[in-house]
Amino acid sequence: MWGGRFALGPSEALDALNRSLPVDHRLWPQDVAASKAWVHALCHAGVVTPSEEAQLLGGLDRVADKLADGAAVGAPDEDVHTLVERLLYAEVGAVAGKLHTGRSRNDQVATDLRLWTLNAIDELDSGVTALGRALVTRATDGLDAILPGYTHGQRAQPVRWAYVLLAHAWPLVRDRQRLADARRRTAEMPLGSGALAGSGFPVDRVLLKEALGFRMISANALDATGDRDFVADVLFAIALVGTHLSRLGSELITYASGEYAFITLADAFSTGSSLMPQKRNPDVFELARGKAGRVLGDLVALLTTLKGIPAGYQKDLQEDKALLFDACDTLATVLPAVTGAIDTLTVNAERMAGAFDPAMRATDLADLLVEAGVPFRESHGLIGRLVRAAEQAGVTLDKVPAKVATEIHPALGPALAQLGSWEQSVESRATPGGASRASVESQIDELRRAFQPAASS
Ligand code: ARG
């Protein structure tokens, strides 16, 4: 299609490097849709006649049928755009040559990829939403189970299981916001930009944008043909979803271990070992964690590609699709598996309760001393001494003899006697956003609303 000025075709080696059809064939539905809109705009501009328009539109529909039947498989073409055009020639003959009037593959590929990305964002959003809902559902049945909350891998303060699950649901709310934001910027239409300087024919870009469902038209053709910020936006949103899945996975791998045994994965979401018959492995979460590295790599690869190139289209940009497709495909496999694992895991509430260490009441004791009038810094130091006394006596914090406690501070004996249950300890942190029952319940309400399906934009 660009061979006129060359005496010979490209070498096999160049062809192998240059061809993008093995990657971009999946853009064919977008390429056909954008081509149909383009034909319509050309007719509107008086570049093709209504009868040519009808021929071209009918031909493109038949091309779509052929592609749906697998015509792209093993096709020799350079890319999806040349493939569609060749198939159109086969359908309608010479009039097919009018399709590319005033258009370039530069504005065409940018348009196709944006259309594809809009759809991909919606699918990602559904996957993220489904996981969010699964976490919220499991949180509603995890209000009563209390377990140690950890920081630095150390038992810190008691929290509700529901609260831990919600701590992994809130990041997904932010992910949805990021995807929605990326969607807004993706919905700008480059078509009509030509190769870099605009189209030589008076096509109505506003009409085109309406026909293709874009929000607005791009403002500068040179920018629009070389702009892949939308790909970077989506890859960043994906890298962060991946990061969130990785953190969730990492935590649950620990809880599924024999030492913790806070949760048990369902058979359908566990894997065995080929050697050790006893193993029930959390591969699902390990893969979620592992794949986060891969999607982060996709983002870094794209940014590295973009940073070196001037405005406008450069062939470097052809790399965008492999990266974007890889990241989207990766999340499309990870999200449903993680969602299923969350849906079906069993919670072992007794194991959670069995993991408590009375030392986790240290903050409660310090707070009780504060209520008795001791400044917090001082009470922190006093409880520190109590912890040391317990360690020296080889007893747990609640079993330090009252005499020893009272020697440290007169209010400590009564404070120790006043310590309530673990449940009361959790309830004592009742600030909005805390781990108390009321706070967790109101978070559940909010998150239920946040994980409604997206209002289509
Ligand atoms: N296959 C190319 C890509 O994916 C399409 C655009 C080619 N444009 C060009 N001037 N060679 O980026």
Side-chain angles (χ1 to χ4, degrees), residues 2 18-21 24 27 78-81 104-110 195 228 313-321:
W2 38 258
N18 191 37
R19 275 185 83 230
S20 57
L21 188 63
D24 66 23
L27 291 179
E78 180 183 323
D79 60 22
V80 66
H81 322 291
S104 158
R105 278 187 294 163
N106 298 356
D107 59 348
Q108 196 181 352
V109 71
R228 296 297 183 274
Y313 181 83
Q314 329 292 328
K315 200 59 172 268
D316 315 45
L317 292 174
Q318 180 163 280
E319 289 298 304
D320 59 358
K321 286 171 284 301

Side-chain angles (χ1 to χ4, degrees), residues 14 23 68 97 132 152 216 249 259 293 306 355 358 385 400 411 424 457:
L14 172 60
V23 171
H152 312 272
M216 56 188 281
E259 285 71 17
L306 294 182
R385 282 173 57 194
V400 176
Q424 282 165 330
S457 41

Side-chain angles (χ1 to χ4, degrees), residues 38-49 199-204 207:
W38 187 247
V39 165
H40 194 65
L42 286 178
C43 181
H44 204 251
V47 179
V48 301
T49 66
S199 179
F201 296 85
V203 284
D204 184 338
L207 186 124

Side-chain angles (χ1 to χ4, degrees), residues 181-207:
D181 196 36
R183 195 181 201 292
R184 261 175 40 78
R185 277 191 292 276
T186 302
E188 294 180 17
M189 187 195 71
L191 195 57
S193 294
L196 74 162
S199 179
F201 296 85
V203 284
D204 184 338
R205 296 191 66 210
V206 174
L207 186 124

